[in-house]
Coordinates of all heavy atoms in Angstrom, one line a residue:
V191 N 29.7 -36.9 -15.0 CA 30.1 -37.6 -13.8 C 31.4 -37.1 -13.3 O 32.4 -36.9 -14.2 CB 30.2 -39.1 -14.0 CG1 30.7 -39.9 -12.8 CG2 28.8 -39.7 -14.5
E192 N 31.6 -36.7 -12.1 CA 32.8 -36.2 -11.6 C 33.9 -37.3 -11.5 O 33.6 -38.4 -11.0 CB 32.6 -35.6 -10.2 CG 33.9 -34.9 -9.7 CD 33.6 -34.3 -8.3 OE1 32.6 -34.6 -7.7 OE2 34.4 -33.4 -7.9
R193 N 35.1 -37.1 -12.0 CA 36.1 -38.1 -12.0 C 37.1 -37.8 -10.9 O 37.4 -36.6 -10.6 CB 36.9 -38.1 -13.3 CG 36.1 -38.6 -14.5 CD 36.8 -38.4 -15.8 NE 38.2 -38.9 -15.7 CZ 39.1 -38.7 -16.6 NH1 38.9 -37.9 -17.6 NH2 40.3 -39.2 -16.4
S194 N 37.6 -38.8 -10.3 CA 38.6 -38.7 -9.2 C 39.9 -38.2 -9.8 O 40.3 -38.7 -10.9 CB 38.8 -40.0 -8.5 OG 39.9 -39.9 -7.6
N196 N 42.7 -39.0 -8.7 CA 43.7 -40.0 -8.5 C 43.6 -41.1 -9.5 O 44.4 -42.1 -9.5 CB 43.6 -40.6 -7.1 CG 43.9 -39.6 -6.1 OD1 44.7 -38.7 -6.3 ND2 43.2 -39.7 -4.9
R197 N 42.6 -41.1 -10.4 CA 42.4 -42.2 -11.3 C 43.2 -41.9 -12.6 O 43.6 -40.8 -12.9 CB 40.9 -42.3 -11.7 CG 40.0 -42.8 -10.6 CD 38.6 -42.7 -10.9 NE 37.7 -43.1 -9.8 CZ 36.4 -42.9 -9.8 NH1 35.9 -42.2 -10.7 NH2 35.7 -43.3 -8.7
A198 N 43.5 -43.0 -13.3 CA 44.2 -43.0 -14.6 C 43.3 -42.4 -15.6 O 42.1 -42.4 -15.4 CB 44.7 -44.3 -15.0
P199 N 43.8 -41.9 -16.8 CA 43.0 -41.3 -17.8 C 42.0 -42.3 -18.3 O 42.2 -43.5 -18.3 CB 44.0 -41.0 -18.9 CG 45.3 -40.8 -18.2 CD 45.3 -41.8 -17.1
C200 N 40.8 -41.8 -18.7 CA 39.8 -42.7 -19.2 C 40.1 -43.1 -20.6 O 40.3 -42.3 -21.5 CB 38.4 -42.0 -19.1 SG 37.1 -42.9 -19.9
E201 N 40.1 -44.4 -20.9 CA 40.3 -44.9 -22.2 C 39.1 -45.9 -22.5 O 38.8 -46.8 -21.8 CB 41.6 -45.7 -22.3 CG 42.8 -44.8 -22.1 CD 44.1 -45.6 -22.2 OE1 44.1 -46.7 -22.8 OE2 45.2 -45.1 -21.8
I202 N 38.5 -45.6 -23.7 CA 37.4 -46.4 -24.1 C 38.0 -47.7 -24.8 O 38.7 -47.5 -25.8 CB 36.4 -45.7 -25.0 CG1 36.0 -44.4 -24.4 CG2 35.2 -46.5 -25.4 CD1 35.2 -44.6 -23.1
K203 N 37.6 -48.9 -24.4 CA 38.1 -50.1 -24.9 C 37.0 -51.0 -25.3 O 35.9 -50.9 -24.7 CB 39.0 -50.9 -23.9 CG 40.2 -50.0 -23.5 CD 41.0 -50.8 -22.4 CE 42.1 -49.9 -21.9 NZ 42.9 -50.6 -20.8
P204 N 37.2 -51.9 -26.3 CA 36.1 -52.9 -26.6 C 35.6 -53.7 -25.4 O 34.4 -53.9 -25.2 CB 36.7 -53.8 -27.7 CG 37.8 -53.0 -28.3 CD 38.3 -52.1 -27.1
V205 N 36.6 -54.1 -24.6 CA 36.2 -54.8 -23.4 C 36.8 -54.0 -22.2 O 38.0 -53.8 -22.1 CB 36.8 -56.2 -23.3 CG1 36.5 -56.9 -22.0 CG2 36.3 -57.0 -24.5
M206 N 35.9 -53.5 -21.3 CA 36.3 -52.7 -20.2 C 36.4 -53.5 -18.9 O 35.5 -54.2 -18.5 CB 35.3 -51.5 -20.0 CG 35.1 -50.7 -21.3 SD 36.4 -49.5 -21.6 CE 36.0 -48.3 -20.4
S207 N 37.6 -53.3 -18.2 CA 37.7 -54.0 -16.9 C 37.1 -53.1 -15.8 O 36.7 -51.9 -16.1 CB 39.2 -54.2 -16.6 OG 39.8 -52.9 -16.4
D208 N 37.0 -53.6 -14.6 CA 36.4 -52.8 -13.5 C 37.3 -51.5 -13.3 O 36.7 -50.4 -13.1 CB 36.4 -53.6 -12.2 CG 35.4 -54.7 -12.3 OD1 34.5 -54.7 -13.2 OD2 35.4 -55.6 -11.3
E209 N 38.6 -51.6 -13.4 CA 39.4 -50.4 -13.3 C 39.2 -49.4 -14.4 O 39.1 -48.2 -14.1 CB 40.9 -50.9 -13.2 CG 41.8 -49.7 -13.0 CD 43.3 -50.2 -12.9 OE1 43.5 -51.4 -12.9 OE2 44.2 -49.3 -12.7
D210 N 39.0 -49.9 -15.6 CA 38.7 -49.0 -16.7 C 37.4 -48.3 -16.5 O 37.3 -47.1 -16.8 CB 38.7 -49.8 -18.0 CG 40.0 -50.4 -18.4 OD1 41.1 -49.8 -18.0 OD2 40.0 -51.4 -19.1
L211 N 36.4 -49.0 -16.0 CA 35.1 -48.4 -15.7 C 35.2 -47.3 -14.7 O 34.7 -46.2 -14.8 CB 34.1 -49.4 -15.3 CG 33.7 -50.4 -16.4 CD1 32.8 -51.6 -15.8 CD2 32.9 -49.7 -17.5
E212 N 36.0 -47.6 -13.6 CA 36.2 -46.6 -12.5 C 36.9 -45.4 -13.0 O 36.6 -44.2 -12.7 CB 37.0 -47.3 -11.4 CG 36.1 -48.3 -10.6 CD 36.9 -48.9 -9.5 OE1 38.1 -48.6 -9.3 OE2 36.4 -49.7 -8.7
N213 N 37.9 -45.6 -13.9 CA 38.7 -44.5 -14.5 C 37.8 -43.5 -15.3 O 38.0 -42.3 -15.4 CB 39.8 -45.0 -15.4 CG 40.9 -45.6 -14.6 OD1 41.1 -45.4 -13.3 ND2 41.7 -46.5 -15.2
C214 N 36.8 -44.1 -15.9 CA 35.8 -43.3 -16.7 C 34.7 -42.8 -15.9 O 33.7 -42.2 -16.4 CB 35.4 -44.1 -17.9 SG 36.7 -44.4 -19.1
G215 N 34.7 -43.0 -14.6 CA 33.7 -42.5 -13.7 C 32.5 -43.4 -13.6 O 31.5 -42.9 -13.0
A216 N 32.5 -44.6 -14.1 CA 31.3 -45.5 -13.9 C 31.5 -46.4 -12.8 O 32.7 -46.7 -12.4 CB 31.1 -46.2 -15.3
S217 N 30.5 -47.0 -12.3 CA 30.6 -48.0 -11.2 C 30.6 -49.3 -11.8 O 29.8 -49.7 -12.7 CB 29.4 -47.8 -10.3 OG 29.3 -46.6 -9.7
P218 N 31.6 -50.2 -11.4 CA 31.6 -51.6 -11.9 C 30.4 -52.3 -11.6 O 29.8 -52.1 -10.5 CB 32.9 -52.1 -11.2 CG 33.6 -51.0 -10.7 CD 32.6 -49.9 -10.5
R219 N 30.0 -53.2 -12.4 CA 28.8 -54.0 -12.2 C 29.1 -55.1 -11.2 O 30.2 -55.6 -11.1 CB 28.2 -54.6 -13.5 CG 27.6 -53.5 -14.4 CD 27.2 -54.1 -15.7 NE 28.4 -54.6 -16.4 CZ 28.4 -55.2 -17.6 NH1 27.2 -55.5 -18.1 NH2 29.5 -55.6 -18.2

Side-chain angles (χ1 to χ4, degrees):
V191 179
E192 186 178 18
R193 292 174 50 193
S194 169
N196 298 327
R197 293 173 181 163
C200 172
E201 295 182 18
I202 305 300
K203 303 176 182 178
V205 178
M206 305 282 284
S207 66
D208 288 348
E209 184 177 355
D210 293 332
L211 292 171
E212 290 180 357
N213 290 340
C214 292
S217 300
R219 290 174 295 176

